Amino acid sequence: MHLVWFRNDLRTSDNSALYYACLKGPVTGIYFVTPGQWKNHQLAPIQADFIEQNLKVLAEELAALGIPLLIEEVADFSHIPARLKQIQKDHHINTIHANDEPEINEKERDQAVKKAGLPLVLYQCDCILQAGSVLTKQGGMYKVFTAFRNAWMKEVKQTDLTPLPKPADQMPSLNVSWSKNISVNYDKKSSQAWPAGETAALRRLRHFLLQDIEDYHHNRDIPSLDGTSGLSAYLKFGVISAKRCVYEVLAAFPDALDAQDSSVFSWINEIVWREFYRHLMIFNPQLCKGKNFNKLADNITWSNNPDDFKAWCEGRTGYGLVDAAMRQLNQTGWMHNRLRMVTASFLTKHLLIDWRWGEAYFREHLIDGDLASNNGGWQWAASTGCDAQPYFRIFNPIIQSQKFDPKGLFIRKYVKELNGFDNKKIHFPVNAIVEHKQARLNALDRYSVLKKG
Ligand SMILES: Cc1cc2nc3c(=O)[nH]c(=O)nc-3n(C[C@H](O)[C@H](O)[C@H](O)COP(=O)(O)OP(=O)(O)OC[C@H]3O[C@@H](n4cnc5c(N)ncnc54)[C@H](O)[C@@H]3O)c2cc1C
């Protein structure tokens, strides 16, 4: 019997571990619910629900292939080797197959499993090009995104992007009892705005390719529009693979990789950012522990005022766009990319609050909360990261508002008390907790420790 250990790869197609295990013999799937680990990793309640819903769909899809899915609960990763040992004994497991993950705790978990003498084989399908494989001529990690992207594109053009098919039907094993009534034991918040399953993800992707991708370049920065794919949660939990996404894009737009000015290229560019941050994590595992990428940033003195932080979290800063964004996050579990940049900049530069506070808050609330992308985004905005925003670039929340929400449509949706304000006035602060010009000067002063030399 072969065991396929599902983690953030909750799909049946383009799943290397599942596909190759099924070539070898009868297969059983397993998923570990780890409430203690999830708490520790700040898994959002909406993510717990999304996992549960996707496990239900996955279990049905696997059942149709003749593969049972076991759901096991352990407090945290440290209990997995012992539980796997028992399962190996009970079910005569020959090999455990799983897809590799880039984060430090996940890597340590897998090492502990191997150290316990369990036959774990790891496959690569989290990224299109294996995390850590796109290297400079000197064999190091690219520290500039554009250079990374150019090398990535060159490699991808020579790579077969055809996704692996679903495995063939298996002969069901009679001695494995199937998990019924899947329910994960964690605080949960409904994820129904993101219908679960690979088919739903593919539908979303295809809708985006048909309707939106050609306008992506123009619409992606306007939060009142539905101009982006909305695929991040599916990519986070591997309900769809990044390779499948790019494969489908290129099937519809075969020249996209060579059309750098096109909208389609700019969407693929975002998928490359995802890969960039995962590569970064392999080369700098300490990022997982909350370390600044730029060591000079260790010298920044943060103000860390708890009242300011609370006002930011609750969408009460007095700046309409910032407040609307935070309320969008609190109410829906998602935030538009432009607004993630605006709110992160506001927290770290206007309020001089440590980016780690904001990073944690995002993770506790986002449906797509992901260590690599969230850390990358926060360190970019806080100017502490790799190829980050220069420290002296400080978003002016009023100008951002005028530019990206000119008619205040997005602001009015979430900050009802500003409904009566006209299109001009709505961008200006009301009872703001900081004044922009002074905050900017304070930030320039505190951040001056990042000046080189
Ligand atoms: C401060 C901050 C925090 C962020 N935290 C996360 C996070 O926890 N999880 C997350 O998936 N993304 C994060 N992002 C990136 C980005 O905001 C989201 O991926 C995007 O808003 C998701 O919406 P979408 O799927 O419609 O994106 P689209 O615009 O349709 O992009 C397609 C896909 O590309 C990837 N992507 C897009 N932008 C980025 C980016 N800047 N970095 C890495 N990958 C990207 C995502 O997987 C996304 O689904 C963060 C960005 C910032 C500035």
Side-chain angles (χ1 to χ4, degrees), residues 216 228-232 235 267 270 334 337 340 368-370 374:
Y216 180 74
T228 65
S229 70
L231 281 168
S232 50
L235 283 161
W267 193 72
E270 297 308 315
W334 189 81
N337 180 60
R340 295 187 202 205
D368 61 23
D370 172 77
N374 196 36

Side-chain angles (χ1 to χ4, degrees), residues 49-300:
D49 189 60
F50 192 64
I51 292 173
E52 181 176 301
Q53 302 312 323
N54 277 289
L55 285 175
K56 286 179 183 165
V57 178
L58 180 68
E60 277 175 27
E61 289 186 353
L62 288 172
L65 295 169
I67 301 170
L69 177 66
L70 304 173
I71 309 288
E72 291 276 327
E73 183 182 318
V74 289
D76 56 40
F77 288 169
S78 68
H79 298 273
I80 290 180
R83 189 63 72 90
L84 277 175
K85 274 243 142 149
Q86 191 57 48
I87 292 167
Q88 182 194 31
K89 212 164 134 214
D90 295 347
H91 299 294
H92 310 290
I93 301 295
N94 175 304
T95 309
I96 303 168
H97 306 257
N99 294 311
D100 205 3
E101 299 184 299
E103 299 92 350
I104 198 166
N105 289 158
E106 283 68 3
K107 287 214 170 290
E108 285 170 2
R109 171 201 62 197
D110 291 350
Q111 276 155 14
V113 166
K114 285 185 179 170
K115 221 168 157 191
L118 287 151
L120 175 65
V121 176
L122 294 174
Y123 300 81
Q124 303 293 336
C125 67
D126 173 48
C127 285
I128 299 171
L129 299 180
Q130 180 182 338
S133 71
V134 178
L135 303 172
T136 61
K137 286 206 176 78
Q138 293 72 35
M141 163 73 199
Y142 283 99
K143 297 207 175 79
V144 174
F145 171 73
T146 318
F148 173 84
R149 187 192 65 201
N150 293 344
W152 186 94
M153 290 280 173
K154 205 167 155 200
E155 186 71 31
V156 154
K157 283 180 189 167
Q158 292 159 14
T159 305
D160 178 8
L161 295 179
T162 315
L164 288 171
K166 280 183 197 243
D169 290 4
Q170 304 289 300
M171 275 299 288
S173 167
L174 297 176
N175 55 9
V176 179
S177 53
W178 299 38
S179 290
K180 304 252 161 47
N181 305 324
I182 293 171
S183 170
V184 309
N185 170 20
Y186 198 77
D187 185 18
K188 283 176 270 185
K189 175 176 168 177
S190 170
S191 62
Q192 65 177 4
W194 285 265
E198 202 173 338
T199 310
L202 208 53
R203 202 177 296 129
R204 195 175 273 250
L205 172 65
R206 290 186 178 150
H207 175 85
F208 177 70
L209 294 183
L210 276 172
Q211 299 286 328
D212 302 313
I213 197 168
E214 288 181 277
D215 297 322
Y216 180 74
H217 200 61
H218 297 292
N219 292 347
R220 57 173 301 217
D221 272 322
I222 311 294
S224 61
L225 295 177
D226 236 359
T228 65
S229 70
L231 281 168
S232 50
Y234 299 93
L235 283 161
K236 156 69 194 165
F237 292 104
V239 182
I240 193 167
S241 71
K243 186 161 84 176
R244 157 81 65 193
C245 290
V246 172
Y247 174 81
E248 296 268 337
V249 172
L250 294 178
F253 305 93
D255 302 327
L257 294 181
D258 293 313
Q260 292 222 1
D261 299 337
S262 73
S263 246
V264 181
F265 185 92
S266 56
W267 193 72
I268 297 175
N269 193 53
E270 297 308 315
I271 298 283
V272 188
W273 271 107
R274 178 181 181 274
E275 305 245 327
F276 179 65
Y277 287 139
R278 292 177 128 64
H279 271 69
L280 213 56
M281 210 128 257
I282 297 290
F283 285 94
N284 301 273
Q286 288 307 313
L287 290 176
C288 301
K289 305 268 184 205
K291 297 280 186 266
N292 290 309
F293 179 87
N294 178 352
K295 293 289 156 250
L296 288 176
D298 294 350
N299 301 320
I300 299 173

